[in-house]
């Protein structure tokens, strides 16, 4: 199932402000990814899913490796990736490889929350921007971010566009996922969200 959507930008505060201006909901501070040079804010999309707004952490030095999700190359915020939750990431990787899609090896990750707690999980490498391939995440024994009282921003639908939808569906079919991808010149993701006033808005 969908775990979270990633809205990334070259300036974290600006990315959060754009979500707030569009929806009327301000994502809550999540924490810092120490060593990666990033921090995030989160909003609850409903049904155990969330929106991650991520960008450079002004309190960390520039990392030795590029920031994830192509953040260093972005000129403005965009919905750049989506994560699929699994409770057995190694088995899911093996299954995907057996069906012709290699999501990469799982690795350990962690984040420091604002109150000093360290959260740990495992995930496959973040997708290369423009592929629309999902990455996998396994929270293990860590409580899911949606259990932490995040501001609500219900997700109605997420769709994709890509010059070659079959390229995207090779990955989603291997993972047993349904994902609507329309043919278009540029690859991208769009999330339809419901605001507190009941309006439908598109975040892309």
């Amino acid at each position: 199932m969908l775990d979270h959507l990633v809205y990334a930008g070259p300036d974290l505060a600006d990315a959060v402000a754009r979500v707030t201006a569009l929806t009327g909901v301000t994502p809550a501070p999540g924490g810092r990814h120490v060593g990666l040079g990033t921090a995030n804010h989160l909003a609850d999309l409903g049904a155990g899913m969330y929106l991650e707004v991520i960008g450079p952490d002004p309190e960390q030095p520039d990392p030795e490796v590029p920031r994830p999700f192509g953040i260093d190359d972005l000129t403005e915020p965009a919905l750049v990736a989506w994560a699929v939750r699994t409770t057995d990431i190694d088995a899911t990787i093996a299954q995907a490889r057996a069906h012709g899609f290699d999501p990469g090896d799982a690795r350990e990750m962690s984040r420091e929350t604002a109150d000093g707690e360290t959260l740990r999980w495992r995930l496959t490498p973040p997708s290369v921007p423009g592929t629309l391939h999902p990455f996998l995440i396994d929270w293990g024994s860590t409580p899911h971010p949606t259990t932490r009282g995040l501001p609500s921003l219900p997700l109605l639908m997420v769709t994709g566009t890509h010059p070659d939808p079959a390229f995207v569906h090779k990955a989603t079919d291997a993972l047993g996922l349904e994902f609507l991808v329309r043919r278009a010149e540029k690859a991208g993701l769009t999330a339809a969200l419901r605001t507190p006033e009941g309006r439908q808005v598109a975040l892309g």
Side-chain angles (χ1 to χ4, degrees), residues 91-105:
T92 304
I93 291 170
Q95 177 186 0
R97 286 171 174 164
H99 288 84
F101 170 61
D102 186 358
D105 295 328

Side-chain angles (χ1 to χ4, degrees), residues 1-4 43-51 85 144 146 155:
M1 66 171 290
L2 176 67
D3 184 77
H4 67 278
D44 192 329
L45 296 175
M49 305 174 293
Y50 69 96
L51 173 69
R85 190 186 318 163
H144 195 258
T146 56
L155 174 69

Side-chain angles (χ1 to χ4, degrees), residues 77-189:
L79 202 58
V80 297
W82 57 301
V84 172
R85 190 186 318 163
T86 174
T87 56
D88 189 340
I89 195 167
D90 296 312
T92 304
I93 291 170
Q95 177 186 0
R97 286 171 174 164
H99 288 84
F101 170 61
D102 186 358
D105 295 328
R107 57 175 174 156
E108 304 284 340
M109 279 286 294
S110 65
R111 167 167 64 84
E112 290 184 1
T113 66
D115 57 7
E117 184 181 0
T118 299
L119 308 182
R120 302 184 187 280
W121 63 93
R122 296 176 71 205
L123 83 172
T124 57
S127 313
V128 175
T131 66
L132 264 62
H133 289 166
F135 63 99
L136 306 176
I137 189 164
D138 185 339
W139 289 95
S141 61
T142 295
H144 195 258
T146 56
T147 64
R148 296 174 178 271
L150 300 175
S152 178
L153 188 56
L155 174 69
L156 303 176
M157 182 188 303
V158 59
T159 59
T161 58
H162 196 277
D164 182 8
F167 171 76
V168 182
H169 286 144
K170 180 179 180 180
T172 55
D173 289 350
L175 291 166
L177 304 171
E178 294 285 341
F179 183 46
L180 177 60
V181 183
R182 298 183 177 90
R183 188 179 301 276
E185 290 186 6
K186 185 178 180 181
L189 292 168

Side-chain angles (χ1 to χ4, degrees), residues 7-22 27 41 53-56 58 74-78 203:
Y7 185 71
D11 182 287
L12 180 56
D14 175 62
V16 171
R18 293 198 188 201
V19 172
T20 304
L22 177 68
H41 285 59
V53 182
I54 186 171
L74 293 174
T75 57
E76 62 180 359
L203 180 69

